[in-house]
Amino acid sequence: MQKRIRLFLALIPLLFYLELAAQKTQQKSQLPALIDRELFFGDPEIINAQLSPDGSYIAFIKPYKGTRNIWVKKREEPFTAGKPMTADTTRPINAYTWSRDGKNLLYIQDKGGNENFQLYAVQPSQAPAAGQALPPTRALTNVPNARVMIHHMSRSEPNIVYIGLNDRDKAWHDLYRLDITTGEKTLVRQNTDRITGWTFDWNDKLRLATRSAPDGSTEILRVDDQGMKSIYSATVFETSFPIGFHKDNKRFYLRTDAGNRNLQQLMLFDPVTFKEELVETDPKNQVDVGQVRISEVTHEPIFISYQDDKMRRYWKDQSYEKNFSPIEKKYADRMVFPGSATLDEQYWMVHIVSDVNPEEVYLLDRKTQQLTFQYRPRPKLPVKDLAPMQAIRYKSSDGLEIPAYLTLPKNSSGKNLPLIVVPHGGPWARDMWGYNSYHQFLANRGYAVLSPNFRGSTGFGKKFLNEGNNQWGQKMQDDITWGVKHLIAQGTVDPKRVGIMGVSYGGYATLAGLAFTPDVYAAGVSIVGPSNLITLLNTIPPYWESIRKMFAHRMGDASTPQGKEQLMRQSPLNSADKIKAPLLVVQGANDPRVNKAESDQIVVALRTRGFPVEYLVAPDEGHGFARPVNNMAMLAAAEKFLAKHLGGRYQESMSPAVATRLKEITVDVKTVALSSPSTAEK
């Protein structure tokens, strides 16, 4: 009898393992079919359609010879009739705008991710007929080692655009008046006052400037014939900026949380009398004011939106509410976003999005109320197999409530699942409800996916944002760790199969998670993540000078003994000896924000102690991968890596081009050397 009992007790672990294995097999068998990663992350067929000012044309982004470029078609034509306007085969074009008169399409482009953006123009009137050469693209700012920013597009002179250029001083942009037709630039103001932005009124007159003071505070300046005068200020821990002028062209709309406010509110401010008037704050007192859409016709707000668990919108113009309310009711389970519009605001592009549908785009004629379908960016994506995203809340280590988003694999039991935590970048940003390609990709592979809005995330008020000050790798990391604990306690997650994967700050959180809480994670993928906070701060781009002091206040001040000790403690590099989970590191060689040395350092530190780490470096990328072939190679490696260590599914096949590229960007970690040894000090 005792032998039988001992035998039974000895078999318990085996029986438990077999039951667990059976559960995992059953969970995988219930999942939808594996969706090709190309459908999630490959080039969309069409994106970013924008109406020309007169409504005659629609421009859009579509691949041309394998790279995203600008196309154009007549409004009434099908998209198949579109003609390419640009032919860049080295780097995708993602953003562009029409000139005010519709004669030009303007876009910015850098080289290999170095963020030295230049401004280009192409004329849609020169769209080629079949078999003809593409129209010439004109470089309006062919300035080496400088970057351009667009400040204002003139209404009264539609061929004039006001730009900023940092060719004189890398840290600060001078203001220029640029003639699109001739390419002639005229200096308007030399920036010797730490100016970060300019605001023009409805008559194209320069009226306001924003300034970053040496102590990190923000000032709003009135600009007039007498010069510039400070009229409003906010501390380094507050946020205030103008968003446009009122219809009276005297007062301006101001977003601010300065003073005793917690949430950012929308105010009207008089730059002469300094009188403030509240326009609106969140009716639910939950989040900061979000998008404020101001009509170019009436010069009044059309709507104000708020990013809560889901987006909330409040219409301020009854005529627009009458136009858009039927659409919102029809698509009540989705989010409706008014996009580009014609100059008279009769025609609008309307974008309809949900957590399980990337986008459907329609054309709305406000006069006839006719809504006409235009396109879906990813029509081959099987949306019926995508998984819903839910907003959740949980308490962190000190009791602070953390808002987060959770996606569970479709058809899963919702129990004992492998988990991938995906912290957002920034870190002064936030995750939102809606379609998330990483969530859907990983959920399709069988993982639960968690995106926490840890303290320091924006949108939830000044207090929540400032709770993250000096807390990189500490309370901010606790907010992530306690999310994992919450899901484990609920039985949702298998504690032995937890991974973490992120970009930029999310990459840092990945390294911090593996280094500071090594028992929590079984694998990590760090994409352009900093490993040493001191060298990170020493190598930030010169054009970030305006926020350098903010970094010192919110991250830590390396110029003080206390601040340096804190930053060293919070640097995963200095705890690399504690990392025991497998790690995949991904880096762009030209990254100006997170220098390649940040990834080199952690890889070298791990290899020095004989710890295996996979390393991908793309020579033609910057802060994140823009070229689809690089992105596909990285994702193919990542999903195989995660499957190996966490047990999820993965797609074995890849195109020959992606397979070749993956070999090219895989770095032999046995021989990797530091990019900039001088910056790798601790």
Side-chain angles (χ1 to χ4, degrees):
M1 184 65 178
Q2 290 180 344
K3 288 182 179 180
R4 290 180 180 177
I5 292 174
R6 285 197 297 269
L7 178 61
F8 176 74
L9 292 174
L11 288 173
I12 287 177
L14 177 61
L15 293 171
F16 176 77
Y17 172 79
L18 292 173
E19 174 64 21
L20 193 62
Q23 288 179 7
K24 293 178 182 178
T25 301
Q26 184 181 17
Q27 286 176 352
K28 285 186 177 182
S29 66
Q30 294 173 340
L31 295 175
L34 204 67
I35 300 174
D36 193 314
R37 74 178 74 89
E38 288 276 352
L39 298 181
F40 289 115
F41 297 103
D43 271 331
E45 294 192 11
I46 299 170
I47 54 169
N48 197 9
Q50 295 184 38
L51 286 154
S52 64
D54 66 357
S56 298
Y57 293 92
I58 295 177
F60 54 98
I61 300 290
K62 177 182 177 179
Y64 176 73
K65 294 185 177 180
T67 304
R68 291 191 293 277
N69 275 278
I70 302 174
W71 295 58
V72 71
K73 73 176 188 71
K74 293 181 179 178
R75 190 188 74 236
E76 64 275 9
E77 290 179 333
F79 279 84
T80 52
K83 297 179 176 63
M85 298 300 301
T86 61
D88 192 324
T89 58
T90 59
R91 195 159 184 82
I93 298 173
N94 293 314
Y96 69 94
T97 187
W98 287 91
S99 62
R100 290 279 188 184
D101 56 10
K103 292 181 179 179
N104 287 275
L105 288 160
L106 308 176
Y107 68 96
I108 60 172
Q109 186 73 301
D110 70 350
K111 303 296 182 185
N114 63 7
E115 299 189 7
N116 287 326
F117 296 106
Q118 301 296 309
L119 181 62
Y120 300 88
V122 64
Q123 292 184 314
S125 62
Q126 298 179 5
Q132 291 184 339
L134 268 64
T137 297
R138 293 184 296 127
L140 298 178
T141 59
N142 191 13
V143 185
N145 301 316
R147 70 191 325 245
V148 65
M149 59 173 61
I150 297 177
H151 287 296
H152 179 70
M153 299 179 67
S154 176
R155 300 175 182 86
S156 56
E157 299 177 282
N159 66 317
I160 298 298
V161 59
Y162 290 88
I163 63 170
L165 267 178
N166 65 339
D167 53 338
R168 180 188 59 83
D169 184 339
K170 299 303 179 191
W172 306 102
H173 287 67
D174 296 328
L175 180 65
Y176 285 87
R177 170 190 165 99
L178 172 67
D179 188 312
I180 301 172
T181 304
T182 65
E184 181 182 357
K185 296 191 298 292
T186 304
L187 180 66
V188 178
R189 285 183 180 266
Q190 193 173 88
N191 186 359
T192 57
D193 299 300
R194 302 176 62 92
I195 302 299
T196 57
W198 305 93
T199 302
F200 293 73
D201 66 14
W202 291 111
N203 296 325
D204 300 312
K205 184 177 180 180
L206 181 60
R207 297 278 300 280
L208 303 171
T210 52
R211 177 177 183 267
S212 174
D215 65 356
S217 62
T218 300
E219 293 179 321
I220 299 176
L221 311 176
R222 186 181 68 220
V223 182
D224 53 31
D225 294 339
Q226 283 71 49
M228 296 190 293
K229 175 181 175 60
S230 179
I231 60 173
Y232 195 89
S233 64
T235 72
V236 69
F237 298 124
E238 297 173 333
T239 303
S240 296
F241 55 91
I243 61 172
F245 273 81
H246 183 264
K247 66 178 181 179
D248 65 15
N249 216 28
K250 296 177 181 178
R251 296 171 293 169
F252 63 90
Y253 290 102
L254 170 69
R255 272 183 63 165
T256 183
D257 60 14
N260 59 5
R261 305 174 180 93
N262 177 41
L263 299 178
Q264 287 182 37
Q265 300 175 331
L266 182 64
M267 309 292 293
L268 265 177
F269 190 87
D270 190 315
V272 176
T273 66
F274 302 170
K275 181 182 177 181
E276 291 184 51
E277 177 186 336
L278 176 65
V279 177
E280 186 168 295
T281 189
D282 180 11
K284 294 189 176 182
N285 198 36
Q286 296 290 325
V287 294
D288 294 335
V289 67
Q291 182 186 8
V292 181
R293 185 73 180 256
I294 299 177
S295 169
E296 293 273 338
V297 175
T298 67
H299 300 171
E300 293 186 289
I302 298 173
F303 65 79
I304 301 174
S305 66
Y306 297 86
Q307 289 293 342
D308 206 337
D309 284 352
K310 293 184 179 180
M311 186 270 290
R312 291 184 272 115
R313 178 186 292 116
Y314 299 89
W315 293 98
K316 302 302 168 184
D317 186 306
Q318 291 184 348
S319 65
Y320 282 94
E321 185 174 11
K322 182 180 178 181
N323 292 136
F324 281 93
S325 285
I327 305 173
E328 291 180 319
K329 290 178 181 177
K330 182 178 179 180
Y331 299 100
D333 60 334
R334 309 189 202 177
M335 297 184 296
V336 177
F337 294 101
S340 76
T342 52
L343 204 59
D344 61 4
E345 296 183 352
Q346 176 184 343
Y347 292 101
W348 287 72
M349 302 303 298
V350 181
H351 305 259
I352 300 175
V353 183
S354 79
D355 53 344
V356 293
N357 194 329
E359 190 178 37
E360 290 177 3
V361 181
Y362 294 81
L363 177 66
L364 173 66
D365 183 338
R366 291 182 63 218
K367 284 187 178 178
T368 65
Q369 199 59 27
Q370 183 177 2
L371 189 69
T372 307
F373 175 77
Q374 299 294 297
Y375 65 90
R376 287 169 53 199
R378 300 183 183 277
K380 297 176 184 176
L381 185 67
V383 294
K384 64 180 178 57
D385 291 334
L386 301 184
M389 172 188 281
Q390 56 182 303
I392 66 169
R393 294 283 193 280
Y394 59 85
K395 296 292 181 67
S396 187
S397 57
D398 58 356
L400 183 66
E401 185 175 78
I402 304 301
Y405 293 98
L406 175 67
T407 300
L408 301 179
K410 189 164 186 178
N411 300 334
S412 74
S413 65
K415 298 295 181 183
N416 203 43
L417 296 167
L419 170 70
I420 307 292
V421 184
V422 185
H424 63 71
W428 307 292
R430 62 158 291 178
D431 277 307
M432 294 175 283
W433 185 87
Y435 180 78
N436 185 302
S437 54
Y438 273 95
H439 272 241
Q440 295 300 337
F441 171 62
L442 293 169
N444 179 257
R445 270 51 180 166
Y447 302 102
V449 190
L450 176 69
S451 287
N453 279 313
F454 42 81
R455 71 191 71 199
S457 298
T458 55
F460 300 97
K462 181 169 62 178
K463 185 176 185 299
F464 190 84
L465 172 63
N466 291 332
E467 286 285 345
N469 293 342
N470 301 308
Q471 293 297 322
W472 282 44
Q474 294 181 197
K475 290 291 179 60
M476 290 169 71
Q477 198 70 29
D478 280 358
D479 298 344
I480 300 170
T481 306
W482 260 252
V484 176
K485 291 184 177 184
H486 169 75
L487 294 177
I488 291 173
Q490 288 194 325
T492 303
V493 166
D494 178 354
K496 294 183 179 179
R497 295 190 294 160
V498 177
I500 182 168
M501 175 180 185
V503 181
S504 193
Y505 179 85
Y508 164 82
T510 296
L511 298 175
L514 267 58
F516 303 148
T517 54
D519 295 326
V520 173
Y521 299 104
V525 179
S526 172
I527 305 170
V528 295
S531 64
N532 183 334
L533 300 187
I534 293 177
T535 57
L536 172 72
L537 292 173
N538 286 342
T539 56
I540 63 172
Y543 48 82
W544 280 11
E545 183 61 33
S546 63
I547 55 175
R548 184 181 295 275
K549 204 69 177 180
M550 184 271 287
F551 273 92
H553 283 289
R554 291 204 183 276
M555 284 183 61
D557 190 347
S559 67
T560 69
Q562 182 182 4
K564 185 174 182 180
E565 187 279 327
Q566 172 206 312
L567 292 167
M568 289 177 64
R569 183 177 69 250
Q570 294 170 340
S571 297
L573 178 65
N574 297 328
S575 294
D577 59 327
K578 296 181 176 64
I579 293 178
K580 60 183 182 180
L583 175 64
L584 169 62
V585 176
V586 181
Q587 180 67 45
N590 303 323
D591 192 340
R593 305 187 192 189
V594 178
N595 194 277
K596 180 174 174 286
E598 291 300 318
S599 290
D600 285 349
Q601 292 175 98
I602 195 74
V603 169
V604 169
L606 292 171
R607 283 306 304 172
T608 298
R609 68 179 179 92
F611 189 85
V613 54
E614 298 183 30
Y615 193 22
L616 305 179
V617 179
D620 50 355
E621 296 286 7
H623 197 61
F625 287 6
R627 295 190 63 210
V629 68
N630 290 329
N631 205 33
M632 284 300 129
M634 182 269 288
L635 290 162
E639 67 169 310
K640 184 176 182 180
F641 172 85
L642 293 171
K644 177 181 178 181
H645 299 293
L646 301 176
R649 305 189 298 176
Y650 76 98
Q651 176 185 338
E652 295 188 37
S653 63
M654 65 183 81
S655 71
V658 170
T660 299
R661 193 56 173 163
L662 182 56
K663 290 180 180 178
E664 292 171 345
I665 65 175
T666 299
V667 177
D668 182 355
V669 296
K670 295 178 181 178
T671 59
V672 67
L674 290 175
S675 302
S676 305
S678 61
T679 67
E681 63 189 64
K682 295 185 180 181

